[in-house]
Amino acid sequence: MTFMNNIRSATKEALDRTAIIAKFLCCLHFTANYLCSPTHAYGPSMLPTLNIAGDVVLVEHISPRIGKIGHGDLVLVRSPLNPNRNLTKRVVAMEGDTVTFFDASHSDSSRTAVVCLLNECGGMKRNGMEHGVPLFGSIKIE
């Protein structure tokens, strides 16, 4: 009888601890995917706002879901060259805005953007304009 009570007690304790761990992992998953998550942003394109060696940035996921992205916001976008990589960019124009930029290979031109994302330093290398203007749908929402 004592042996069975010990097994019941150990089993109940193991299930209770497993439930606590499962609840914690569910909470962690929900927070990271739907509320906010940390990401490592690095590279020269966001100087001087972000450090070239890299900064850890807390990314909130609510604004893109409810359409509250505006001029000057930093956003994560999927890289057009490697979809598994995220890029940090600043929104400089929204749908219907006219953006004027200088491209050395063309004359000074004016284009209408859906969402225009530029490097912080204003350079055109590996910029959104190099691959065509990224669409709003390319802004990471997940």
Side-chain angles (χ1 to χ4, degrees), residues 95-121:
E95 184 175 359
D97 291 350
T98 301
V99 179
T100 303
F101 63 94
F102 179 74
D103 187 354
S105 63
H106 299 89
S107 64
D108 191 28
S109 59
S110 183
R111 298 183 185 173
T112 301
V114 174
V115 174
C116 182
L117 307 167
L118 291 178
N119 293 332
E120 190 73 4
C121 60

Side-chain angles (χ1 to χ4, degrees), residues 34-125:
Y34 300 106
L35 296 179
C36 62
S37 62
T39 189
H40 184 246
Y42 58 92
S45 69
M46 290 303 294
L47 283 174
T49 303
L50 299 176
N51 188 356
I52 193 169
D55 286 330
V56 176
V57 180
L58 189 61
V59 179
E60 63 94 6
H61 301 282
I62 298 171
S63 294
R65 292 181 187 281
I66 61 175
K68 293 288 185 184
I69 296 176
H71 295 88
D73 288 348
L74 292 180
V75 294
L76 286 182
V77 295
R78 285 187 180 84
S79 170
L81 301 177
N82 180 1
N84 295 326
R85 186 168 177 228
N86 292 320
L87 305 173
T88 306
K89 298 294 176 186
R90 183 173 300 279
V91 176
V92 294
M94 296 298 288
E95 184 175 359
D97 291 350
T98 301
V99 179
T100 303
F101 63 94
F102 179 74
D103 187 354
S105 63
H106 299 89
S107 64
D108 191 28
S109 59
S110 183
R111 298 183 185 173
T112 301
V114 174
V115 174
C116 182
L117 307 167
L118 291 178
N119 293 332
E120 190 73 4
C121 60
M124 296 305 286
K125 184 178 180 188

Side-chain angles (χ1 to χ4, degrees), residues 12-35:
K12 183 179 180 328
E13 185 176 337
L15 288 175
D16 287 344
R17 290 184 186 218
T18 303
I20 290 171
I21 291 172
K23 288 177 185 177
F24 172 75
L25 292 176
C26 286
C27 184
L28 189 64
H29 170 77
F30 178 81
T31 302
N33 287 310
Y34 300 106
L35 296 179

